[in-house]
Every structure is written in structure tokens, then in C-alpha cells.
Amino acid sequence: MPSFKEAKERFRGSIAPVITPFNEDESLDLETFKKLIDWQIESGSHGISVTGTSGEPSSLTVEERELVMETAKKAVAGRVPFLPGTGSVNHNEAMRLTKAAQEMGADGAMVIVPYYNRPNQHALYKHFKTIADAVDIPIILYNIPGRTAVNLEVETIARLAEDCPNIIGIKESNKDFEHVNRVLLKAGRDFNLYSGIELLCYPMLAIGGAGHISATSNVAPAPVAEIYNAWARGDVKRAQDMHFEMMELNDILFKDTNPSVAKAALGMMGKIKPVLRKPMDIPSEALQKELREVLINYGIELKDEVKS
């Protein structure tokens, strides 16, 4: 296992949060899943994450999440860092999944703020510290207050970064740009900050971010990776241009709850069956029509229609 300092350097760039494909009967479609991972890596994604928000983890059993993680680990085969999402509303489930990630040889784990139950900041500190202390792999915190109904505050993040050497970064799906600036100020400039907000991928690089974990990479992995690549090679104008070029696609993919639009897009592209487990569903026909037009404008080859 590389040192945590080495992990900070290795876990940089566009880490793709890959969707979980299902068959028509809503069973796991693991063969298609492996093909998606190959496509992501071949398209230039710098890392792979699964069973995060885009992977519909709340629609999976714990055993299914472990199976998806194991399948992804084998598919990645060490080509890029593998950072599965192991968080849960249930502390014991998060512990089990994070330990499972370590046992299967994952490079690290991404652990979301528990959703629905809205723990206070001290409770969040104890939750994450207990998980971090139980494993030796790097941990990326995942803050997405729009989904969890509670924000992981800067002071809590900084405390965890100081007290837990293996907590090396955070995915911030937080539209408050002042907050994310203060994360680096308080947790340290070497703390890995990843954008989970599509319109903040480039701005977070500009303040010292380590990269992004963008749902848009499910549909357009190469240009999402190019934002980071351009910045890393010092081509600021190219990074800025890509930032603005991606806006229309970013916007359409979030006109309904993620990953419904991304799955519809991948269905149109012929890469998956556009199936979500209830209570989620694919977008309306009107939004599908709008999506199709946007994908065509981006030069994305379409093959199939998506039914309502």
C-alpha cells in the first residue's frame, strides 16, 4: 500500500463516478458494467469510483454493493486508482463496506455524509473517525448537502484531516464556493479537494483542487478529463474553454435527479439499457427530446431511442 502522501499525488484528475447498469428486470448487468469501466479508462479518466451517488447505492443491497465493488476492482485491474463509495445512512453498513473495500484491495474509499438522519457535527466527526481508524486505506470524505440535508462544516473537515492521517481529501458537491475555499485554508493546501459540482470543476482546480468526480464523465469522459489535463499542463485557456463548452451538457444532465438523465443518455448512446430501480425512473419524454438534441450538438453518436 502506497503512503498516504503518495496516494494524494496519485489520486488526481478526473475520477469517473460510474453508474450501475441494470437489466430490464432491474437485476445487475455486470457485463455491461465492466464494458463501461473499460470505456472510461480508454477515454482518459484518471480514476474509477462506483456506488457513489451516480451508482444508485441506496437502491442496492449491501451484498449487491460489495459485488459491484468487487466486479469494478477486477475490471479496473490496477490501470487507474479505484475508489469505491462505501458510505451509508447506517454506520455499521459504512464500516462493513469500507472494510470490504480494504480487503478487496481498493486503493481507497469515498465515504458520504450519512443522509436523511442529519447528525450534528460532533456525531459526524465520530462517525468518520471511527471508520477511518478501522482501516489503513486512504479515505475521501464526500460532502453533498443537497442530498444529505446536512453540511460537513469546514471546522469538522479540518479536525478530521488533523486527527486521521488516512483522511486525505474530500469530494465537495457544495455550491458554496466560499466553503470550499475555506476547506483548503483550514484543512491544508495539500488536502485533496475534488469538485462534485460540474460548474465548479475548473474553478476548484484554480484554487488548488486535486481534480473532479463529475457525473458528466459518464456520458463524456474524454472532455471531462481534458479539463484537468489542460490545467495540469499549464494550458489555462484550454481549460477555461472546455469549462464553458461543457456547460450545456452539464446543465441538461441535471434537469432531473442524477443519474436518471445520464442513464437516458447512455441508453441513447447504446451503452446500457436505460433502467433505474424504483423509486427512480428515466426522464420525461420532453426532457429526453431536449437531451437528444444536446447530445447531437456535442457530436455524440446516438443509436437507440429511450422509451417512457
Side-chain angles (χ1 to χ4, degrees):
M1 174 68 65
S3 69
F4 299 133
K5 182 178 180 180
E6 291 171 333
K8 286 183 178 181
E9 290 302 314
R10 187 169 178 238
F11 299 172
R12 304 184 74 86
S14 175
I15 299 171
V18 182
I19 60 100
T20 303
F22 300 120
N23 294 301
E24 294 290 354
D25 63 358
E26 298 186 10
S27 61
L28 294 172
D29 184 354
L30 297 179
E31 291 306 311
T32 295
F33 183 54
K34 289 184 281 189
K35 292 176 182 177
L36 288 176
I37 290 172
D38 285 340
W39 178 56
Q40 285 290 332
I41 296 172
E42 291 163 3
S43 298
S45 292
H46 306 100
I48 296 293
S49 184
V50 299
T51 60
T53 303
S54 298
E56 299 174 73
S58 60
S59 297
L60 304 174
T61 66
V62 175
E63 292 76 17
E64 284 177 323
R65 289 184 66 175
E66 290 176 335
L67 177 58
V68 168
M69 288 162 54
E70 290 169 356
T71 302
K73 171 65 172 60
K74 292 176 181 177
V76 172
R79 290 176 287 174
V80 295
F82 173 55
L83 304 167
T86 60
S88 171
V89 66
N90 181 293
H91 174 79
N92 288 335
E93 285 183 5
M95 285 282 287
R96 170 178 166 174
L97 289 164
T98 308
K99 289 179 178 179
Q102 174 170 282
E103 290 168 2
M104 70 180 61
D107 298 291
M110 185 168 62
V111 186
I112 195 171
V113 169
Y115 32 92
Y116 181 75
N117 48 25
R118 301 181 65 189
N120 63 35
Q121 294 300 305
H122 182 61
L124 287 171
Y125 172 84
K126 291 199 295 183
H127 169 73
F128 284 115
K129 188 175 189 304
T130 302
I131 293 171
D133 287 348
V135 295
D136 297 323
I137 57 174
I139 299 293
I140 305 295
L141 306 173
Y142 180 11
N143 189 28
I144 180 169
R147 291 267 192 160
T148 62
V150 63
N151 187 46
L152 189 61
E153 300 293 347
V154 171
E155 293 75 13
T156 308
I157 298 167
R159 186 181 174 198
L160 286 165
E162 180 177 358
D163 294 350
C164 307
N166 59 331
I167 294 181
I168 66 167
I170 186 167
K171 175 184 177 182
E172 278 286 359
S173 294
N174 193 324
K175 294 183 178 181
D176 183 348
F177 198 57
E178 179 178 345
H179 167 92
V180 297
N181 276 267
R182 295 190 184 281
V183 167
L184 287 183
L185 177 67
K186 297 295 186 180
R189 298 278 292 279
D190 65 340
F191 195 63
N192 280 25
L193 174 68
Y194 305 91
S195 177
I197 298 290
E198 278 58 34
L199 294 191
L200 294 183
C201 289
Y202 169 72
M204 283 201 197
L205 292 173
I207 63 169
H212 34 264
I213 305 173
S214 166
T216 301
S217 63
N218 276 294
V219 176
V224 173
E226 175 60 11
I227 294 173
Y228 177 83
N229 291 337
W231 176 261
R233 64 177 180 261
D235 191 345
V236 175
K237 185 177 185 306
R238 171 67 171 164
Q240 290 174 337
D241 288 345
M242 292 299 300
H243 167 74
F244 287 103
E245 286 175 17
M246 295 301 293
M247 275 193 180
E248 185 181 15
L249 182 58
N250 288 331
D251 287 346
I252 192 72
L253 290 177
F254 286 87
K255 281 198 170 183
D256 199 350
T257 305
N258 183 50
S260 63
V261 187
K263 280 199 160 182
L266 287 167
M268 293 175 187
M269 295 162 66
K271 291 195 175 291
I272 68 167
K273 300 177 185 71
V275 178
L276 293 92
R277 283 185 175 172
K278 299 174 184 63
M280 297 288 286
D281 201 357
I282 59 173
S284 67
E285 289 187 22
L287 182 50
Q288 287 182 42
K289 180 180 179 181
E290 186 180 354
L291 171 64
R292 177 172 288 275
E293 292 172 355
V294 171
L295 295 175
I296 290 171
N297 288 342
Y298 273 85
I300 295 173
E301 181 181 357
L302 304 184
K303 298 181 179 180
D304 297 327
E305 295 285 343
V306 174
K307 298 180 181 180
S308 61

